[in-house]
């Protein structure tokens, strides 16, 4: 997979060369480049932003600079005219992603889909964001353009969000992880449940004991204990995820556990029986 990142702080991404991401680049599985948007400016001040049309605080990133940069990275001709229709399912069709706090949430489902892409270009906005015509223009050229937020809070720029998305996407590329089983087991893949707790030795530490069933050697009991713990933690911390489960996929023991936790499991999705308190 080729990843191009455009930012006014490309140094921010230097640490992508360490750890598992560094290894994946050495092995040729991944090729990541961080580019400085200012390299595509022509004026002496290398300016990338301007005041918002219609007024208001802050600055907006200029469309011309972004377009010169993105035309290069996407290898598109710099015409403002006729949209090029790119073949819909071309395997090397690039995905262009703009981090944006006012966009849909980036989820594990998006990460999984994007882990199959050949080429991703990330455009990191700063200030009040990028002129809205930039994503519109590339979408009209036939590019697969996405905008994602990583959560309901505001960051100073898209860099941290892009870093998070790159980690989530690349670890799902086949061959990236040493132990692919750890991907299958963890939260948000397979059943969208939070994970059970993990313990290592010693069995008692500072007076706190590991749950006894985990040391029993009975794998059936261990699996059931962990599954119940995942259901209980999800019910308590993220009931919205329980509501997405399909009752038909739950086994008898899952149903029993959910019923004990106050869920009704005889319709399509679980429903909580106790009315939630009004805000
Ligand atoms: Cl994608 N960008 C910024 N600036 N802030 C965010 C975000 C993105 N996602 C959550 N907060």
């Amino acid at each position: 997979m080729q990843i191009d990142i455009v930012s006014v702080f490309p140094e921010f991404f230097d640490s992508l060369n360490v750890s598992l991401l560094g290894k994946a680049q050495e092995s040729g599985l991944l090729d990541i480049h961080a580019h400085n948007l200012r390299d595509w400016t022509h004026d002496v001040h290398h300016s990338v932003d301007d005041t918002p049309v219609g007024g208001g605080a802050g600055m907006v990133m200029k469309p011309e600079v972004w377009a010169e940069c993105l035309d290069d990275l996407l290898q598109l001709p710099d015409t403002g005219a006729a949209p090029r229709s790119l073949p819909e399912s071309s395997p090397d069709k690039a995905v262009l992603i703009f981090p944006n706090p006012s966009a849909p949430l980036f989820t594990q489902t998006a990460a999984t889909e994007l882990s199959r892409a050949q080429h991703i270009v990330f455009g990191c906005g700063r200030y009040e964001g990028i002129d809205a015509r930039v994503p519109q223009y590339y979408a009209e050229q036939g590019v697969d353009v996405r905008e994602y937020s990583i959560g309901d809070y505001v960051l100073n720029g898209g860099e941290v969000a892009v870093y998070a998305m790159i980690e989530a996407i690349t670890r799902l590329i086949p061959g990236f992880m040493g132990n692919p089983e750890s991907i299958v087991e963890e939260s948000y893949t397979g059943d969208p449940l939070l994970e059970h707790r993990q313990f290592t030795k010693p069995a008692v530490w500072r007076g706190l004991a590991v749950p006894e069933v985990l040391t029993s050697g009975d794998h059936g009991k261990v699996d059931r204990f962990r599954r119940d713990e995942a259901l209980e933690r999800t019910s308590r911390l993220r009931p919205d995820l329980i509501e997405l489960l399909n009752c038909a996929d739950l086994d008898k023991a899952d149903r029993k556990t959910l019923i004990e936790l106050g869920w009704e499991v005889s319709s399509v999705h679980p429903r909580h029986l106790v009315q939630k308190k009004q805000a």
Side-chain angles (χ1 to χ4, degrees):
M1 179 189 290
Q2 185 189 335
I3 297 180
D4 289 289
I5 307 161
V6 184
S7 165
V8 287
F9 300 117
E11 327 78 70
F12 182 90
F13 296 96
D14 286 352
S15 60
L16 287 172
N17 295 319
V18 298
S19 186
L20 278 174
L21 275 160
K23 261 194 212 146
Q25 291 193 74
E26 279 166 29
S27 76
L29 203 60
L30 258 185
D31 184 18
I32 308 183
H33 290 279
H35 308 269
N36 193 335
L37 179 66
R38 293 192 202 278
D39 291 348
W40 280 270
T41 57
H42 303 290
D43 63 312
V44 282
H45 301 293
H46 303 287
S47 55
V48 294
D49 58 342
D50 206 337
T51 54
V53 176
M59 299 291 269
V60 177
M61 295 186 104
K62 294 154 69 71
E64 305 95 320
V65 180
W66 272 102
E68 287 210 26
C69 168
L70 295 173
D71 286 347
D72 279 355
L73 296 179
L74 297 166
Q75 297 181 312
L76 297 182
D78 60 349
T79 103
R84 267 180 29 139
S85 44
L86 298 179
E88 200 41 59
S89 62
S90 156
D92 57 359
K93 184 175 168 177
V95 184
L96 176 57
I97 301 179
F98 295 101
N100 180 347
S102 306
L105 273 185
F106 181 77
T107 62
Q108 190 68 22
T109 306
T112 304
E113 189 210 333
L114 289 163
S115 71
R116 300 181 198 114
Q118 294 271 307
H119 184 197
I120 305 179
V121 179
F122 288 100
C124 301
R126 280 265 150 182
Y127 321 110
E128 295 303 309
I130 305 172
D131 187 299
R133 290 167 294 181
V134 175
Q136 180 193 345
Y137 171 79
Y138 287 98
E140 285 174 5
Q141 298 302 301
V143 178
D144 181 354
V145 179
R146 320 274 184 99
E147 296 183 72
Y148 291 115
S149 162
I150 62 161
D152 294 336
Y153 39 79
V154 179
L155 306 168
N156 288 330
E159 284 78 5
V160 168
V162 165
Y163 207 110
M165 289 189 249
I166 289 176
E167 279 219 5
I169 294 165
T170 55
R171 63 194 294 285
L172 298 173
I173 298 173
F176 182 87
M177 293 280 269
N179 175 12
E181 275 177 26
S182 57
I183 286 189
V184 180
E185 279 175 14
E186 69 201 22
S187 301
Y188 298 113
T189 44
D191 262 339
L193 296 177
L194 305 190
E195 270 195 275
H196 57 77
R197 295 172 299 164
Q198 296 280 10
F199 304 92
T200 184
K201 292 175 274 294
V204 181
W205 170 78
R206 295 197 175 183
L208 300 173
V210 166
E212 211 176 311
V213 55
L214 298 179
T215 58
S216 68
D218 183 331
H219 295 301
K221 278 197 182 149
V222 168
D223 286 351
R224 191 63 245 166
F225 175 83
R226 288 178 164 169
R227 176 80 178 167
D228 285 342
E229 192 162 282
L231 289 166
E232 186 281 320
R233 287 170 63 83
T234 311
S235 171
R236 180 164 42 89
L237 302 172
R238 292 291 307 276
D240 56 308
L241 296 178
I242 298 284
E243 286 169 4
L244 297 175
L245 295 174
N246 287 313
C247 292
D249 298 338
L250 300 170
D251 68 20
K252 235 175 131 184
D254 291 339
R255 285 165 210 251
K256 180 168 174 281
T257 301
L258 284 175
I259 289 166
E260 282 167 10
L261 293 167
W263 294 86
E264 185 273 315
V265 292
S266 53
S267 354
V268 179
H269 302 291
R271 242 172 4 117
H272 207 265
L273 288 176
V274 184
Q275 206 55 45
K276 301 221 171 67
K277 283 195 197 115
Q278 298 278 308

